[in-house]
Each structure stands twice: as C-alpha cells, then as structure tokens.
Amino acid sequence: MFKFKSLFLLLIIATLCFQCKSPNSSVETKIDKLISEMTIEEKIGQMNQLTGLGLNDDMKAQIKNGTVGSILNEVDVNIVNELQRIAVEESRLGIPLIFGRDVIHGYKTIFPIPLGQAASWNPKVAEIGARIAAQEASSVGIRWTFAPMVDVTRDPRWGRIAESCGEDPYLTSIMGAAMVKGFQGDKMSDASSIAACAKHFAGYGAAEAGKDYNTTWIPEMLLRDVFLPPFKAAVDAGAASFMCSFNDINGVPSSANKHLNVDILRNEWKYDGLLVSDWGSIEQIEDHGAAENLKEAAEKAITAGVDMDMMGFAYNYHLKELVNSGKVSEDLVDNAVRNILRIKFRLGLFENPYTKVQKDAFYKPEALEAAKNAAIESAVLLKNNSLLPIDKKFKTIAVVGPLADAALEQFGTWSFDAEPAHAITPLAAIKQMYGKEYKIIAEPGLVFSRDSNATGITKAVAAARKADVVLVFAGEEAILSGEAHCRADISLPGLQNQLIAELKKTGKPIVLVVMAGRPLTIEKQISESDAVLYAFHGGTMAGPALADLIFGKAVPSGKLPVTFPRMVGQIPVYYAHKNTGRPGTNFVTIDKIPIGVFQTSLGNTSFHLDAGDKPMYPFGFGLSYTTFSYSKVKLSAKKMDAKAKITAECTITNTGKMEAKEIVQLYVRDVAASLARPIRELKGFEKITLKAGESKTVKFEIAADQIGFWNLENKYITEPGEFRVWISKDSQSGEPVSFRLE
Ligand code: NOJ
C-alpha cells in the first residue's frame, strides 16, 4: 500500500515537473531546430537591428533575404504588418521580425517622466503607466520597448537623469521592476504586452561631469552595491531584454565588457533574455579607442556576449568573416541567435506575427485618468507658507511663466509619439476648472524657458499687481534634458530668475511651480516664493493634476527621488555618502571669515566654504498640506543572528486637518565595518493614506542579507556589529535606534 502511494506521489510530481518544464523545453527544442536550419547569413541577419525606413525596397529585400532580425522606430501599423508579412511569408525560414521603439513614459498618453514617477514612490503608478504605454504601443505593432532605464545617477547635470528613477538603488529597483511588470503584463505573449529592456548595462549614470556618454570610473564594489542592484531586480522581474550602455567603465566600453555581460549577467544571474547593443555602440568601441577597426569591434562585442547590433553594422559586415577565419566560434553566434529567437517565441510572434488594426486605442478615459493620478503623485511640495491650497478668499489669480501653457514642453524627454493637441496645460485646466470661481489673468512674461527678451516681464508684473496671488510656472523646456542634453549650469534658464525677482517686488504671494527634467539650483527663487511645487515634466495630464493640487482637490504626496543641490559645485551630492574622517560640523562659511586673517583651520571638517555641507533638499523630502508625526522606532529585538529577521515599527499620525498620503522610509546604517559604509541606506518604504487624526503602525522586516555589502574580494558579506535604523520622513530626519548583528 505504502509503495503504491509513494509511486503515485512520484508520478504526480513527475507530471507536474514535466508540465512546468515542457513549455520552455519545447520552445528550446524549436529554437534548436530553427538554428540547425539557418545559414550563417541568416543567423547574422537575426542579430542585425535596423531603423525603420518605411516600405523601402532595400529594406524589403533584406527582410526577404533574412538579413534583418529587428526594426526599430517604425510606427505605422500598416507598414509594420507589411514588413512582417515579407518576413513571415517571403523569407526562407519565415522568422518574424520584432519591432522596437523607445516607449519610455507613455506612447500617446504621456505619463510623467520616469524621475517624476519615481517621486511618487508608488510602484503601482509606474506599473499602470507602463501597462497603458504597452497597450497603446502594441496597437501599432511595437512589441519591444527600450525601457525601463534603471541607471542610478547622482548627477543632475546629466540630461538622462530625467529618464532615471534618481539616485537610489533600492527605489530604482522597485520602480524599475514595476515598469517591467507593467510593460510585459501577466503574459508576454498577449498581444497587448511588450518586451521590456533594462538599460543601460551598466554604470551609464556615473558619467564624469554629468556629460553624456562620458567615461566612468567605478570600483567593482561600488558597481555591485549601487549600480547593479536595479538590473538584478529587472532580471528577477522577468525583463525580456537588456541594453548595453554607451560608456566605458574603467576603460572597458560596455559593448565589449565580457565581465559585465557574460560573467555577471549570464553566469552569475543566469539571464536568458536578449542583450542588444545601444545605437551604434559596437561600432563606437572603435571611437572609444578600444578596437582598431569595425571588425575588431564586432569580435569584441560578440565575445562580450552582445546578441544584437543596433544600427552598428559591425556584425553585418564582419561576423561571417570572423567565424570563417575561426576568430569567433559559431557557437557564440548560435547563442546570440538563441537569445533573439527566445524573445520572439516569448512574445508569441511565431503564432501571431501580425497586429490587429484597432480603432480608439489611444487616450482612453482610464488612460487619461491614470496619467492624471500619476502626475498628482509625482509632484513634490518643497515649501508652503500656508499659501497652498489656494484660499477661496482670493478673487484674482495671475497665471505667469513660460511653462503655464506649453503643451509640448510638459511631455518632457522621450515623447516622440506625443501629440500636443491632446495635452492639457495648467493654464487651460485652471481656466476650465476654476475660471468661474476666480478671475484668471494669464500673462506668460517669457515665451519659452530660455527666453532672454525682457519685454514680457513688465506685462507679467502688471498682471501680478492686479492679482491677489501669482502662480508662476517656470522650469525647463523638454529639450533641455534627456539623451545628450546635459547642462553645466542647472539654474532656471533664460530670464526666469529675473521674472521671479520682479514678481517678488510686487509683494503678492507667489506659488512657484517648477516643471523640469532634473533638480534645478533655485535656492533664491524658492526664498522669493511662498510655496513651491516641483512637478517635473508631468505629461499629457499635467495641467489638471496641478490644478487639483493647487486648489486643494488633491494633496501633494511626492518625495524627492534625488538630492537637490544648492549649487552645482556640490555635485555629486547624495544622501548615502560616507561619513568621512571629518564629517561637516562647526563649519565657517565664506562670509564669516575675518578679512586679513592668517591661515586657520576653519573647523577642519568636510564642507564647502560657500555651500556648507548640506544640500538644498535631501533625498526623500516632500511636504504635504497636512502634517505627520512619527513615534519612536521600536525593534522586535536588540540582537539578531545572520539567519533571523528583525522587525522595526513606527506609528505615524496625521496631525493635520486633511486626509493625505505619506511615504514612510526605512534607512539602515552599518556603523562599523571592514569597509566604511554610507551614513544611511534606504532599505524599505511604504506609502500610506491617513485620515486627519488617524494613526497607523508601519512595520518593516530587516534581514541580514539586506544590510550587507560587497567587499574588496568581490563577495557580498554581512558583518556582525551595530546597525542603526531610522523610520523617517526623509533621509535626513528621524532618531535612530540600534541593534547588533551577531
Ligand atoms: C540611444 C539611447 O541611449 C537608448 O536609450 C535608446 O533606447 C536607443 N538610442 C534607441 O533609440
């Protein structure tokens, strides 16, 4: 009887295992079969990604010959279907094409830029945004997006900070994974799902001087502690593809970096997705000075595990020769093709290669509603001298500033497919929603953010004089951030500072709303304003979202995903810095130094004479229209062993008069270790909603493997000793409690 039962059990387990394994193994069998039928030209063809040129004869011929595997930037569904027909029906093996596009924060319905979404600290915002982007983009045949960008960056000069989730590996990991989930949906083979692409692998955000494509120097432990975790999180979330970065790390361009792409991505992380180069990045190995010619670049890239060449032609021109001469083994090529075919199978392209032409796929009411909610949750209230929300006592409102009515600019970077006619600007929303209650006087003052013509300022000042309150919409045009749009001076461009200074002289209360792709150095403009709302580039529905926030239909709940410097010279400035041997205390600022004084030590601590040692606003900072109090943090134990977990809890009370959301943050510090550790590291967060007067206890579990680090021997370790824990409203406040790891 017992024997029979065990046998029966074994049979069930075997069947279950077979069922789990069979879909994958059957795909792998199909892939192997296809590869065995492919010529070397067809294999290399799969590794070739070209930009769309419409129904161009040359392109048609290439597809027919099987010498192109993927096309990017073709968004006409009829052309997509026709090119796909040629691939499926006219090429020898009928392998479908995969169409890609940079669908970064929306396709038609534009959500806030990723940096803005990160300010929501709400993974649902990111997931829903990506899902809607996938639904809209897939309706025209795009089944692969080059997002999320999970590059950690600590440099607001870098234009691509707009496309990032900011400075922190943990926040970036959570938001990036949520985007992967949103793009790929529950099932990647569903026609409305698109493959995600974790980019740029790796270290791109560490570009020297915040200048795009620039060199990076990243020691291995920093790479693994800070830059790699969001990529690992993307692997764990099932990201179907990865993209190489443009930069070199310590002299090795990423498209030639075997350590990153093979040792770490494939061997350590067991990643079986597709690795695509960035645009021309294989060819650029030569420009970096790391290959003598395109042929050597191709050899380096294939050896470093780059599967697909995006617009570099290196594989196209040289791979066959490299294989024939024995310099590159055909197995390497087969592996790359395997990764490419796998994503095509996963997307269901072999079964359903064509896109059903749909009507009304864009701007669905639920998409617009989600975009508005995302823009609400992305705005961060930096200052409020009781001016917001706007009081009913005010009768006349002046709406000023170059971004009050600039539909294109509120989309931010990466909005190729956005349509300004569908965007609602703050001015349009305010007029439409509040035009009956208040008299609205609109006077931009400046036509665009870089405007250096002062004539409009006089008119804006005159409008302000007639008003009870002034709303100033300032910031950066979309074109001032994003790829290759870096700035060395990150103050408000054009004459916006002058505009704000002139408005201040009127004595009227000023609300400054900043719409920008990065943190800006606006200390003086903040001091001249009574309230400041930092809205990033909020997308299609930025206007209604900001109107709701300004007039109190919604309460700000965003917190900064990146430190805001006071001055450019402080950069890099980030919360998770080391303590140094002489942390900044007792410092003397430049104006306090007596004239003619002899050489003195000025406190002998770490600070800038002109900026002190603190940023303008710390990571995690953000106000609300209500206030929250935090109780003392309670730990479940004072000691923990490496296998156990400890719980930290804190009770948060809404001490104000409105229901609102609060982002509760968990930070940990390893007080003494074999390598100096950051003064705090984010290890958890929760966004909670509290009614006026309501309290909630938030609990976080801390496990030993969350609080370790990579050591000089390239091992992830957790060392015994004291750890400090904060549960706080930002990265600078709160009282720590301690436990010991034994
Ligand atoms: C270059 C960018 O670095 C990358 O992020 C983008 O996906 C590709 N171009 C394709 O447009």
Side-chain angles (χ1 to χ4, degrees), residues 72-73 102 104 146 160 163 199-200 204 213 243 246 278-279 310 414 416 483:
L72 76 161
N73 296 338
D102 291 285
I104 309 293
F146 306 120
R160 296 199 89 165
E163 198 186 344
K199 71 185 189 186
H200 307 83
Y204 188 32
Y213 316 123
M243 184 188 290
F246 280 127
D278 202 341
W279 187 291
M310 180 193 284
W414 285 128
F416 289 141
E483 184 181 348

